[in-house]
Amino acid sequence: MSCPSSMCVICVLLYMTSVNPAAARVLNQVFCSDGFSSSRKLSSSSALDGTRHPATSQVGNNIEGENGHYGDNGSLAPMCKPPTYDRATQTELTPLGQDQVLDRVPLALTSDIQSLSLEDALPKGISLTEGSRAKLHRIQGLEEDEEVEKEKDLSRASSVEEPIHPTTIRSLQREDLQDPNGSTESLSSARQTPISGSPAPPKDLPPSPRSGPLSTILEGQNKPLVRRNSEKLAKDPQEKTKKRLDKKAASSANLLTRSPSLESRTKDLIASAGSPGSRRGTQGQSIKMFIRGRPITMYVPSNIQNYDDLRMEPPVEKLELDWVYGYRGRDCRANLYLLASGEAVYFIACVVVLYHINNRTQRHYSKHTDCVRCLTIHPDKVRVASGQTAGVDKDGKPLQPYVHIWDSSTLITLQQIGLGTFERGVGSVAFSFADSGAFLCVIDDSNEHMLSVWDCAKGTKHAEVKSTNEAVFTVEFNPNDSTNIITCGKSHVYFWTLSAGSLTKKQGIFGKYKKPKFIQCFVFSLTGDVLTGDSEGNILTWGKSPGDVKTLGKGAKETFQIMRQTRAHDGSVFTLCMLQGGALLSGGGKDRKIIRWSADLAPERECEIPEMFGAVRCIADVDGEEVLVGTTRNAILRGTFSDGFVAIVQGHVDEMWGLATHPSQDVFLTCGHDRQVCVWNTEEHKLDWCTTLEEYGLCADFCPNGAVVSVGLSTGRWLVLDLQTKDVVSDYTDGNEQLSVMRYSPDGSFLAVGSHDNFIYIYNVTESGRRYSRYGKCNGHSSFITHLDWSKDGKYIMSNSGDYEILYWDIAGGCKLLRNRYESKDREWASYTCVLGFHVMGVWLEGSDGTDINALCRSHNERMVAVADDFCKVHLFQYPCPKPKAPNHIYEGHGSHVTNVRFTHCDSHVLSMGGKDTCILQWRVKRGGTGDSGRDRLHSSSSTSTSSPEP
């Protein structure tokens, strides 16, 4: 084999011995003076995968100094490459005969041989360049220095391993540095150059890869090198001599390999980085994202040529709030009214809903930033006042509560009341009546329950006073006297007088009547009396009586005294509603009855609402005969005493997590902690059917044939329900921990069940989804399963876990874990609901802690990604969005963490589900234009614009 002009050391030595017998004799004396020759194992770094690793600027590390080794790459020249030795793998010295010298020549040269003229030994026609000649002179100077520093080198030997962090290729031409006196510095000062697997060397990296809890690093395929220091050198003088000679030989060898062709070989190194056979045997690049300090590596697909040039843009599609499912009746009072337009007005989450009971249409007032807590109607039946809770932002800072006064016909905000004044939230609001709604009374949720009166036209505070430390349920102006205000709540009813900007109160005296624990509600009769309903089931009539002159003094004003007690309900009286003709309606809690009373409180008619709807929370008069009834189980009923009541609004009553959309119909399913499984119709905006389970449901998925749906429960049990008959056709249990995800394969032949016991259970599906048999179990996650998706061919699964792992599984091959995740970078997925993955990396905000995104879903046309976060927001991104800080559209409406989100089968709507707010929002997808599929929507430059339209 022929060697290039930059000859390797072995070839030079062989040639020298053939042309110079004296050199051969010296060589023989050196190598065989003690009859032995060192024999060592090859370092694994000399041939990691068969790829040539040219020597670069790591030459200084190959000189045996305090770290005691020869080099990290262990290569001398592209064609002739001697082995690299590692002193940690030394073996015993073995005898070497004189006839074996030229067959096994070690890299140890004595000073006699090194002082021979190398030019004399070169073949004819070959001459040293000026650079090589200078290097040879430099070797001689180094040898003299090394003789002096020999003892220092030996004393600094250590067996500690220390990592060598990858650095960039900076200046390969700066091989040697000159000191002010013109002498050459030690070659160990040369900069290190690792072998990178990336297509091009990266820019200078910051000292730490983490810029925060969430950051990304574009990296090649190189692993950090490990510098191994030798063991403590033996004290034997003969051994010291051998190690010194080895050191000199390594110095000479590395200098000889640094021939004038170094520049060209460096270009080859950069060009071949990331090619087949590089350090990890992979192609392309990888992205590393950090969540809570944990690195998550994702590989760039082959169809992306330059990750840095990708430009992210918000999707051309936008969302518009289409329908709101649910009503907040479980913990709010006086929250249902009828407008002059024929619309019922009520609230849930951050949205005030205007529902036309005859046309069955909805409009929405959505200017609140947190959950709406109270509502009242202006005397003109057009203006509305709504108050919200304080809440917190994504950083945990409290948001200021306020009251909005708005026009129900135009949905325009007329006045914002009390921003920066109220604490914690607004509990009750009321308009004055006698002066046509000139004032608004507000009670906040602070410890003192501050009562304030505001000028509606100016938005200024007219009066304020501390109310009570007890809970306050409601407040109203006397319809005939705006200076008289009444509040009630826990163990009290107060009569307030507003005069000259100040408020004074008188407490209602129960006297001979039992003082109830709660005064739940009150109304004003046509005669001016006050009727209160309490927790004892009684209706108390409070009438005006002359002032007690003896007790209160001369000039005492009249006060309210209990005139009559009427037994009404078994349990609390939750609500009272005065009808137009003077009749009274009362709603009970425990007995769930609605009773109609005459003007003199004689019972006339009664009915009982079904148990499934809960107790009566609120009653709104429609026309004197028909009424609307809000219940404690978040339903609104419409009906009469003669015809009964039907539900026009229904919803869940506890936290929800399970959401699934039908594969071919406008139907979706929800389940939650209230143990209800509900199937909804997106076109008719109604509940199709509902069933109650023994345990609460957390996840669900429709079989691809659309005939059955699987629901995972909190105990490890899962059921299969028939959509037509509502019957349970299959019942299985996997483990004893809650299930978090159910997912059918695209063809419906498999069902994957993800559990909190860290396993994914795989089932064979037969008989159109009605029969299941265990196929296997995926075992490899170190935390609970959170999300999973099937590949389009139904053979593989991608899964996420609670500790931010991304794993891939070969299901067809026996549920095996795919150790090389790089092989899955180009795999296509039938659905994309995993929150961690290259294609959705941009949905994570900087500083996220790993729980900030609860769910996401890719649209069926692969153009959009809808995201449910922990801060009450729904986001819409383009798909794919693999770069941080991807621009997106942000939508508000939920008042709690958004637990799940899904596209309907035709991508016409997005469904989002709140947790504690028990609200389901249906968003209409507004097409912004046509375009190519999501795969072709990666652009060539970056964009940071973000759109946040109002829903």
Side-chain angles (χ1 to χ4, degrees), residues 539-699:
I539 298 176
L540 299 178
T541 303
W542 301 72
K544 289 184 178 181
S545 62
D548 186 355
V549 177
K550 293 182 179 179
T551 304
L552 302 178
K554 187 177 181 180
K557 294 184 178 180
E558 60 184 5
T559 183
F560 283 91
Q561 301 285 343
I562 297 176
M563 312 295 295
R564 178 182 176 185
Q565 176 178 287
T566 304
R567 182 65 179 176
H569 291 273
D570 182 13
S572 294
V573 180
F574 274 172
T575 184
L576 294 172
C577 177
M578 188 61 64
L579 301 180
Q580 296 175 359
L584 177 71
L585 295 179
S586 66
K590 185 177 179 180
D591 59 10
R592 306 188 314 279
K593 288 183 179 180
I594 301 174
I595 302 176
R596 180 186 175 103
W597 306 83
S598 64
D600 58 356
L601 292 183
E604 294 180 346
R605 306 184 68 176
E606 70 175 49
C607 67
E608 183 178 327
I609 65 174
E611 183 178 3
M612 62 178 294
F613 298 124
V616 179
R617 175 62 76 190
C618 187
I619 298 175
D621 179 26
V622 176
D623 56 9
E625 182 67 23
E626 185 180 35
V627 296
L628 298 177
V629 180
T631 74
T632 57
R633 290 189 65 82
N634 294 350
I636 297 179
L637 312 179
R638 178 188 183 188
T640 63
F641 283 93
S642 57
D643 298 333
F645 293 88
V646 295
I648 59 174
V649 175
Q650 288 178 266
H652 284 272
V653 295
D654 207 343
E655 189 170 2
M656 302 178 295
W657 283 91
L659 174 63
T661 53
H662 196 279
S664 58
Q665 300 176 13
D666 297 320
V667 169
F668 68 96
L669 177 144
T670 58
C671 57
H673 289 193
D674 57 2
R675 299 187 293 114
Q676 302 291 320
V677 173
C678 301
V679 176
W680 310 81
N681 190 300
T682 59
E683 284 299 314
E684 299 181 9
H685 307 122
K686 68 181 184 68
L687 179 66
D688 278 351
W689 59 267
C690 180
T691 186
T692 303
L693 305 177
E694 296 177 4
E695 301 102 19
Y696 57 83
L698 293 172
C699 53

Side-chain angles (χ1 to χ4, degrees), residues 681-923:
N681 190 300
T682 59
E683 284 299 314
E684 299 181 9
H685 307 122
K686 68 181 184 68
L687 179 66
D688 278 351
W689 59 267
C690 180
T691 186
T692 303
L693 305 177
E694 296 177 4
E695 301 102 19
Y696 57 83
L698 293 172
C699 53
D701 194 36
F702 284 90
C703 185
N705 61 20
V708 298
V709 62
S710 295
V711 181
L713 308 182
S714 59
T715 59
R717 181 183 174 202
W718 55 277
L719 309 174
V720 181
L721 303 176
D722 188 292
L723 288 181
Q724 297 297 326
T725 64
K726 310 173 190 176
D727 295 333
V728 177
V729 297
S730 295
D731 187 340
Y732 299 90
T733 301
D734 287 310
N736 56 5
E737 298 192 39
Q738 69 183 43
L739 303 180
S740 51
V741 57
M742 312 284 290
R743 190 77 69 239
Y744 283 92
S745 62
D747 59 359
S749 60
F750 289 103
L751 173 66
V753 181
S755 172
H756 267 230
D757 63 7
N758 303 359
F759 298 133
I760 302 174
Y761 301 91
I762 308 297
Y763 282 84
N764 273 317
V765 182
T766 55
E767 299 181 11
S768 299
R770 288 171 170 78
R771 185 176 181 84
Y772 297 79
S773 59
R774 175 74 74 82
Y775 172 78
K777 181 171 69 173
C778 299
N779 179 11
H781 272 294
S782 55
S783 185
F784 57 91
I785 312 301
T786 58
H787 308 83
L788 66 85
D789 291 292
W790 286 88
S791 61
K792 289 186 176 180
D793 57 12
K795 297 180 180 179
Y796 301 92
I797 279 180
M798 169 176 56
S799 58
N800 293 166
S801 62
D803 58 352
Y804 324 128
E805 278 185 327
I806 308 173
L807 297 184
Y808 300 91
W809 310 87
D810 183 359
I811 303 303
C815 302
K816 296 178 181 178
L817 174 64
L818 298 177
R819 300 290 180 181
N820 188 354
R821 294 187 294 114
Y822 174 82
E823 297 175 353
S824 300
K825 66 184 178 66
D826 293 327
R827 190 161 285 127
E828 296 185 349
W829 303 100
S831 62
Y832 212 118
T833 60
C834 287
V835 298
L836 294 173
F838 172 80
H839 295 84
V840 296
M841 189 181 66
V843 307
W844 290 89
L845 297 176
E846 187 173 0
S848 297
D849 69 350
T851 63
D852 293 342
I853 293 179
N854 296 314
L856 63 78
C857 181
R858 183 190 67 190
S859 61
H860 297 86
N861 61 16
E862 302 187 13
R863 293 174 57 90
M864 302 167 283
V865 172
V867 175
D869 73 11
D870 231 25
F871 311 111
C872 315
K873 303 293 190 299
V874 175
H875 303 257
L876 190 67
F877 292 83
Q878 76 167 17
Y879 179 86
C881 51
K883 300 196 73 173
K885 300 180 181 179
N888 63 101
H889 304 305
I890 305 175
Y891 301 96
E892 300 178 342
H894 284 288
S896 174
H897 53 290
V898 187
T899 57
N900 217 330
V901 63
R902 287 290 183 272
F903 282 89
T904 56
H905 70 100
C906 59
D907 295 334
S908 61
H909 293 86
V910 172
L911 297 158
S912 62
M913 189 163 63
K916 294 293 187 179
D917 66 12
T918 69
C919 177
I920 304 168
L921 299 183
Q922 179 174 311
W923 307 87

Side-chain angles (χ1 to χ4, degrees), residues 36-346:
F36 295 90
S37 176
S38 61
S39 174
R40 299 177 178 89
K41 295 181 181 179
L42 285 176
S43 170
S44 60
S45 65
S46 62
L48 288 173
D49 50 11
T51 304
R52 297 189 182 98
H53 300 302
T56 55
S57 59
Q58 282 198 34
V59 174
N61 289 332
N62 295 325
I63 298 178
E64 182 183 15
E66 61 182 67
N67 52 3
H69 82 148
Y70 293 122
D72 295 318
N73 50 25
S75 60
L76 295 177
M79 302 291 292
C80 298
K81 180 170 62 176
T84 299
Y85 300 100
D86 191 339
R87 293 184 185 268
T89 59
Q90 288 186 114
T91 58
E92 292 185 359
L93 300 178
T94 56
L96 178 65
Q98 186 165 343
D99 56 344
Q100 296 175 301
V101 171
L102 297 182
D103 294 332
R104 300 178 59 184
V105 180
L107 289 178
L109 303 178
T110 65
S111 58
D112 294 335
I113 293 182
Q114 290 183 4
S115 64
L116 293 176
S117 176
L118 190 60
E119 292 182 348
D120 297 336
L122 292 177
K124 294 182 179 180
I126 300 179
S127 61
L128 287 177
T129 62
E130 290 299 325
S132 300
R133 185 177 293 106
K135 292 168 189 173
L136 290 178
H137 290 299
R138 197 176 299 126
I139 292 174
Q140 296 174 357
L142 286 173
E143 290 168 357
E144 295 175 0
D145 295 337
E146 288 168 353
E147 287 286 341
V148 176
E149 298 294 331
K150 176 181 60 177
E151 295 302 327
K152 296 182 181 180
D153 291 339
L154 296 178
S155 64
R156 288 197 296 262
S158 172
S159 60
V160 179
E161 291 188 359
E162 59 184 24
I164 301 179
H165 298 286
T167 58
T168 57
I169 300 177
R170 293 181 174 90
S171 177
L172 295 176
Q173 303 303 322
R174 296 180 58 188
E175 299 174 356
D176 306 296
L177 301 175
Q178 298 289 334
D179 63 16
N181 298 325
S183 61
T184 306
E185 285 187 351
S186 172
L187 292 177
S188 62
S189 63
R191 300 187 181 184
Q192 301 174 359
T193 305
I195 298 174
S196 172
S198 59
K203 304 287 184 183
D204 285 333
L205 299 179
S208 172
R210 297 177 178 85
S211 59
L214 174 67
S215 60
T216 58
I217 294 180
L218 179 62
E219 63 175 11
Q221 306 304 325
N222 57 312
K223 293 183 178 179
L225 304 177
V226 177
R227 175 182 295 147
R228 301 192 177 197
N229 294 337
S230 65
E231 298 178 354
K232 190 172 182 180
L233 297 179
K235 295 183 179 180
D236 184 6
Q238 198 173 48
E239 183 68 14
K240 293 181 180 179
T241 303
K242 284 186 172 293
K243 294 186 181 296
R244 178 172 55 82
L245 295 177
D246 289 346
K247 176 179 63 177
K248 293 182 180 180
S251 302
S252 303
N254 280 279
L255 283 174
L256 287 173
T257 58
R258 297 177 60 186
S259 66
S261 61
L262 178 62
E263 183 178 356
S264 62
R265 285 189 283 115
T266 303
K267 294 179 180 179
D268 294 339
L269 170 68
I270 298 174
S272 63
S275 61
S278 61
R279 287 188 65 104
R280 291 190 183 178
T282 59
Q283 298 183 12
Q285 301 166 316
S286 65
I287 304 298
K288 185 171 290 186
M289 180 175 75
F290 286 87
I291 295 183
R292 302 186 72 175
R294 184 185 180 95
I296 304 170
T297 302
M298 290 162 284
Y299 294 98
V300 181
S302 301
N303 62 343
I304 297 180
Q305 300 301 322
N306 196 329
Y307 175 82
D308 290 331
D309 289 343
L310 297 182
R311 185 178 65 188
M312 297 290 98
E313 294 182 350
V316 295
E317 298 85 357
K318 294 185 179 180
L319 301 182
E320 180 181 68
L321 187 58
D322 178 49
W323 200 264
V324 177
Y325 298 90
Y327 155 77
R328 185 167 180 172
R330 70 190 189 279
D331 60 352
C332 292
R333 297 168 172 80
N335 55 3
L336 177 63
Y337 296 90
L338 190 71
L339 298 173
S341 60
E343 294 171 304
V345 56
Y346 57 92

Side-chain angles (χ1 to χ4, degrees), residues 342-353:
E343 294 171 304
V345 56
Y346 57 92
F347 57 81
I348 184 171
C350 302
V351 183
V352 181
V353 181

